[in-house]
Amino acid sequence: DAGVIQSPRHEVTEMGQEVTLRCKPISGHNSLFWYRQTMMRGLELLIYFNNNVPIDDSGMPEDRFSAKMPNASFSTLKIQPSEPRDSAVYFCASRPVGIGYTFGSGTRLTVV
Amino acid sequence: QQQVKQSPQSLIVQKGGISIINCAYENTAFDYFPWYQQFPGKGPALLIAIRPDVSEKKEGRFTISFNKSAKQFSLHIMDSQPGDSATYFCAASSLVYNTDKLIFGTGTRLQVFP
């Protein structure tokens, strides 16, 4: 089991550019979560999916952020246009029913 | 009401000592309380978890104590080791209401010195 796989590990982009973060959850896990981690705000839940359906996107900061899960093995988080305040580590996590999350190693995003 | 408050923000402990991290919550619908451990450059990893039907759970050197009436829970690390140096997060969610999103505390950076 390779765990939750995120790509890229690091992303540096210029303000105004589109950024796409990718996640492959663990096979058989039916829930997927996107979190953002910063020193100031800690771990914030952005959005989560159950069986590929978005359940709660109340944590998505604004319309610049969007997330999709076209199938059970892939999800994307897109920021368009990106801003310096979006700089953070973005984590994807997945879980089967009733058990704790497994996090990926994260994508460190820097917007300059 | 969705918050989980965690303290202290940082903790320095001598090798062999006991590390104690505390968390408090307000939402009585929470019924699952995990602790996560995060090393630099890695994602958080599940360490130990408890449900409110028990007051304590122990796994090796790690113990969760749970006080339902006070709406508080804590992590105790016995015989702390330098390898335990990491950031620890408490969290809470409500499995009963199927809102299985985890709400995390703000984290405690633990440093264990030899």
Side-chain angles (χ1 to χ4, degrees):
Chain A
D1 185 354
V4 176
I5 300 173
Q6 292 187 245
S7 64
R9 285 300 310 276
H10 302 276
E11 177 80 36
V12 180
T13 191
E14 291 185 349
M15 182 173 63
Q17 296 298 306
E18 178 179 294
V19 176
T20 300
L21 312 182
R22 297 172 175 80
C23 175
K24 177 178 170 56
I26 293 173
S27 177
H29 285 196
N30 67 327
S31 296
L32 182 140
F33 306 81
W34 282 101
Y35 279 85
R36 177 171 66 175
Q37 185 174 38
T38 60
M39 289 294 294
M40 292 297 294
R41 301 174 69 89
L43 275 163
E44 300 175 276
L45 177 66
L46 300 177
I47 185 171
Y48 80 96
F49 297 83
N50 269 358
N51 297 317
N52 312 336
V53 176
I55 301 300
D56 184 348
D57 66 354
S58 59
M60 296 286 261
E62 47 197 275
D63 291 345
R64 298 185 297 108
F65 285 69
S66 62
K68 293 182 179 180
M69 193 166 185
N71 56 62
S73 59
F74 185 66
S75 177
T76 59
L77 177 68
K78 185 178 293 187
I79 308 172
Q80 166 64 20
S82 57
E83 297 182 2
R85 60 190 168 124
D86 302 330
S87 298
V89 181
Y90 291 80
F91 287 104
C92 174
S94 70
R95 53 157 277 185
V97 176
I99 302 179
Y101 295 12
T102 300
F103 280 82
S105 295
T107 294
R108 180 173 295 276
L109 173 65
T110 303
V111 183
V112 297
Chain B
Q1 205 183 20
Q2 287 291 319
Q3 277 189 321
V4 177
K5 296 181 180 179
Q6 183 172 347
S7 63
Q9 193 173 15
S10 63
L11 184 59
I12 299 174
V13 173
Q14 202 89 30
K15 178 183 176 183
I18 302 174
S19 303
I20 302 174
I21 305 171
N22 300 299
C23 283
Y25 63 97
E26 293 187 4
N27 189 345
T28 56
F30 287 150
D31 56 9
Y32 175 68
F33 303 90
W35 284 89
Y36 281 77
Q37 180 187 55
Q38 185 179 28
F39 293 104
K42 302 291 186 183
L46 179 63
L47 189 61
I48 187 173
I50 197 168
R51 298 285 182 92
D53 52 344
V54 296
S55 60
E56 186 175 282
K57 183 174 181 180
K58 184 176 180 179
E59 289 185 2
R61 297 183 295 107
F62 299 91
T63 299
I64 300 179
S65 296
F66 185 81
N67 186 329
K68 188 174 182 178
S69 61
K71 291 185 284 188
Q72 296 176 347
F73 58 109
S74 59
L75 176 69
H76 295 234
I77 306 175
M78 311 300 288
D79 187 25
S80 300
Q81 299 297 312
D84 297 330
S85 297
T87 299
Y88 293 81
F89 294 92
C90 62
S93 70
S94 173
L95 298 179
V96 169
Y97 289 93
N98 202 31
T99 55
D100 49 4
K101 60 181 182 182
L102 277 176
I103 307 299
F104 283 88
T106 50
T108 296
R109 185 183 177 203
L110 172 65
Q111 295 175 273
V112 182
F113 285 95

